[in-house]
């Protein structure tokens, strides 16, 4: 299989809302189903080839679309793979989704939505425009133009939520929810309710995803993979705890994921530590 990547940081106006653009082109793909793992980002995928075919595991994740948005989730989304694939993967900050897409991350959580279902013509036209553009540089410039226009009127989240989200990311989910609530001056219950209403997952669920994401980043560093050491570094009790969480969130054991998917995802420049 041949794989090529093109990575770009968005325009400064867009950067607080979108972590990066990731272009990919793959030929002779042999893995029939890819697991879209839980992460800190709301995901926007735009295919430059055939429509993307989601295959579950639940009806909410079964869809065929040229472009789709996936909210935060706590299980792997199964994606059928074609022999030839190309597209752009955008990593959206959950607190910036309201500005970019006109809905909250909470409204998308646990669902996959076609980009054309959002009722936003400038976004719905993106797949056709990006397919017609001949280079990655031109495609990324189109994304910058469209998203920067939407970012002119930023819908700011409550500063307390912004600070809590910053702390959760900075600690890779290893800060206690009660401690976070105290830091921002809210009760634990109020914090949990406000956070879930904006993001779609409870703070404990997001912390769980962040720890899982941290473990995945360490695994991608390459051989030899020390699962016991990775478990401790990621905030798990031990390797058994890591393995149990991996089964729940990825739908397979760490060793199965390493064998099936890691060979496609070992480019350190592309799949390094999360921001």
């Amino acid at each position: 299989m041949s794989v090529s990547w093109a990575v770009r940081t968005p325009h400064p106006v867009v950067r607080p809302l979108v972590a990066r653009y990731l272009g990919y082109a793959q030929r002779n793909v042999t893995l029939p189903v890819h697991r879209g793992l839980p992460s800190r980002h709301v995901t926007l995928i735009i295919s430059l080839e055939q429509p993307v075919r989601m295959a579950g595991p639940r009806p909410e994740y079964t869809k065929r679309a040229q472009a789709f948005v996936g909210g935060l989730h706590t299980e792997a989304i199964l994606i059928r793979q074609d022999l030839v694939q190309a597209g752009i993967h955008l990593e959206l900050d959950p607190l910036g989704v309201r500005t970019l897409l006109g809905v909250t991350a909470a409204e998308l959580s646990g669902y996959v939505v076609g980009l054309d279902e959002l009722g936003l013509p400038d976004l719905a036209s993106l797949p056709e425009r990006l397919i017609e553009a001949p280079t990655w540089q031109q495609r990324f410039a189109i994304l910058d133009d469209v998203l920067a226009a939407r970012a002119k009127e930023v819908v700011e989240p409550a500063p307390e939520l912004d600070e809590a989200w910053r702390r959760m990311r900075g600690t890779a989910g290893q800060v206690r929810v009660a401690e976070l609530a105290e830091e921002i001056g809210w009760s634990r219950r109020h914090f949990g309710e406000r956070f879930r209403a904006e993001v779609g997952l409870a703070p404990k669920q997001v912390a769980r995803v962040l720890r899982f994401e941290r473990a995945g980043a360490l695994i991608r560093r390459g051989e030899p993979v020390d699962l016991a050491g990775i478990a401790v570094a990621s905030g798990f009790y031990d390797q058994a705890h890591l393995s149990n969480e991996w089964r729940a969130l990825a739908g397979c054991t760490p060793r199965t994921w390493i064998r099936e998917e890691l060979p496609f995802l070992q480019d350190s420049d592309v799949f390094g530590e999360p921001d």
Side-chain angles (χ1 to χ4, degrees):
M1 188 187 83
S2 64
V3 184
S4 62
W5 308 98
V7 184
R8 236 282 306 278
T9 301
H11 185 279
V13 173
V14 181
R15 204 169 298 161
L17 309 175
V18 182
R20 64 178 181 170
Y21 307 143
L22 172 59
Y24 60 91
Q26 302 171 313
R27 294 187 177 276
N28 300 317
V29 177
T30 56
L31 185 67
V33 177
H34 164 67
R35 295 180 181 91
L37 300 182
S39 81
R40 70 185 62 195
H41 298 112
V42 170
T43 302
L44 170 56
I45 299 287
I46 302 172
S47 174
L48 304 177
E49 293 285 346
Q50 295 299 310
V52 180
R53 296 171 294 145
M54 279 69 71
R58 295 187 284 113
E60 294 89 337
Y61 296 141
T62 303
K63 185 178 289 288
R64 184 177 185 272
Q66 196 69 37
F68 71 87
V69 182
L72 297 186
H73 50 100
T74 56
E75 58 189 334
I77 298 177
L78 305 180
I79 304 172
R80 299 193 187 280
Q81 301 208 104
D82 296 316
L83 190 64
V84 176
Q85 299 182 148
I88 303 178
H89 176 134
L90 287 77
E91 297 173 337
L92 312 185
D93 188 293
L95 298 187
V97 167
R98 193 194 296 261
T99 295
L100 292 176
L101 306 183
V103 297
T104 65
E107 293 174 83
L108 299 171
S109 181
Y111 292 93
V112 172
V113 179
L115 192 60
D116 58 354
E117 297 178 57
L118 296 175
L120 303 170
D122 55 337
L123 298 183
S125 66
L126 275 175
E128 183 177 356
R129 294 180 63 188
L130 295 173
I131 289 170
E132 291 176 351
T135 68
W136 290 117
Q137 182 177 359
Q138 289 170 291
R139 293 169 189 142
F140 295 152
I142 290 170
L143 290 172
D144 275 345
D145 288 344
V146 171
L147 298 181
R150 301 198 64 81
K152 287 181 180 178
E153 297 183 11
V154 176
V155 182
E156 296 281 0
E160 294 87 350
L161 289 178
D162 192 61
E163 174 61 18
W165 180 226
R166 184 192 66 79
R167 284 275 285 129
M168 292 175 77
R169 295 196 318 268
T171 61
Q174 297 186 56
V175 59
R176 294 174 60 249
V177 174
E179 180 182 336
L180 270 177
E182 184 177 356
E183 286 181 8
I184 64 176
W186 286 353
S187 71
R188 180 171 178 172
R189 179 177 179 179
H190 182 66
F191 169 51
E193 290 173 348
R194 290 287 301 274
F195 188 88
R196 185 162 194 157
E198 186 69 29
V199 172
L201 298 179
K204 276 193 171 183
Q205 290 176 302
V206 172
R208 184 185 179 202
V209 168
L210 290 169
R211 291 191 294 269
F212 169 80
E213 187 182 48
R214 163 73 171 162
L218 294 176
I219 288 173
R220 289 187 185 99
R221 287 182 173 179
E223 298 290 351
V225 175
D226 173 15
L227 290 178
I230 287 172
V232 173
S234 304
F236 297 97
Y237 299 124
D238 52 26
Q239 184 176 337
H241 184 203
L242 168 64
S243 294
N244 288 337
E245 283 292 87
W246 204 274
R247 289 187 188 93
L249 295 169
C252 65
T253 66
R255 293 294 181 190
T256 296
W257 185 85
I258 289 168
R259 182 179 68 252
E260 293 180 353
E261 304 239 11
L262 187 57
F264 300 95
L265 303 171
Q266 281 188 315
D267 190 320
S268 61
D269 292 332
V270 175
F271 299 101
E273 291 285 342
D275 295 335

